[in-house]
Amino acid sequence: MLIATQSRNIASTSRYFDEVLTQGDYYLGQEINGRWQGKGAALLGVGHGSDVTKDQFVALLQGKHPITGEPLTQRNRKDRRPGMDLTFSVPKSVSLAWAINEDERLIDALRETVAETMAKDVEPLMHRRVRSGKHSSSEQKAATGKLIYADFLHKTSRPVDGVTDPHLHVHAFVINWTEENGMHYAGQMEEIVRQRASLQAKFESRLARRLRDELGYGVRNTRFVQSGRVKAGWEIDGLKRETIDKFSRRTAQVEKHASEKGIRDAAKKATLGAKTREKKDKGASVDRLRDEWQSRLTAEERAAFANLLNRSASDQNGEDAASHSLQYALDHHLYRQSTTERHQIIGTALEHALTVSPEEMERAMDRMDVLRKTIDHEGADRHFITTQEVLNAERQMITYARD
């Protein structure tokens, strides 16, 4: 899963750094170090992969250089939006495999997948505003493909009734900054937000593929009912939904609160997390937590965990699976509309195929017999797709209406 949360102001984001980002491992009661990532880490001199300090983080929130403290941009409004938190979460079964089987390789797989997705898919979408000439008061933007972000690995969820669940996730906090031709600018992240769903699909397909091909886990698509709605996703093969639900108490807590308040909208539900949080538990060791997690399992469930790596992984032909899933995506998106954007087709196809890489899906999309058109929308290229069949149907409808 990928959630994008826009920061409201510098003061609240500074508190977020102290109270959330650096306090992820609740059971250890220790601060965790974030790491600077992205092309901007080198351009700003903090070093790619180096530890994040609060002074550096706050300086960047304020639009200042993280080392010299000098202003980075000419305009630096007090009400500036300091950045965006991109939270990458793994399916619950992946967190459980880490927690119950103590498979630390899953931590590395998560970190590597986040870094790959940020570098290949998110960073190229960074833009800057164009505020010169005829565009001085417009929404015109220009692609820069450069950003800086701080990543923080968290391993558990917020406690429910004093007990926490395993929940592997990474916060990638993207600073409101970019650079072009030696000049520093405020970042324009509209395209990142617009393409969140397809970015999520790329992250999840890479992670599922890595678990299957490098770590030896079987993976499968899933559909299940939660709060009366059917949800689609994927999990490690071999664990039942009842087992997974035992360790999803934080989600159940938020869903219950939403139901009581009559909230159905997913975006509004996302805001309930902060309202239902308990204080962090700093008194539990990882060993004590693992004992508690083990105590929730039946003998049958323990046996299932012991056999997770003994299950045969599904073997898909990449090219055939990609073509099949792209046709599914085209049918899905063009059923009620005459055109759709390329990233939407890619995202839906990746969800359907699960373990086909984004790169293979893009190549397969290039081979598809479809009609393509690129539109410049205020400086951002948007790539639209349709088919000859849909175009013919549209023309017939227009002719019928005229007659």
Side-chain angles (χ1 to χ4, degrees), residues 43-54:
L43 290 169
L44 292 169
V46 294
H48 189 274
S50 63
D51 287 348
V52 176
T53 69
K54 184 176 180 180

Side-chain angles (χ1 to χ4, degrees), residues 37-44 48 119 123 144-148 177:
Q37 310 282 8
K39 294 176 183 177
L43 290 169
L44 292 169
H48 189 274
E123 192 159 31
T144 63
K146 300 171 189 173
L147 56 75
I148 182 171
W177 168 94

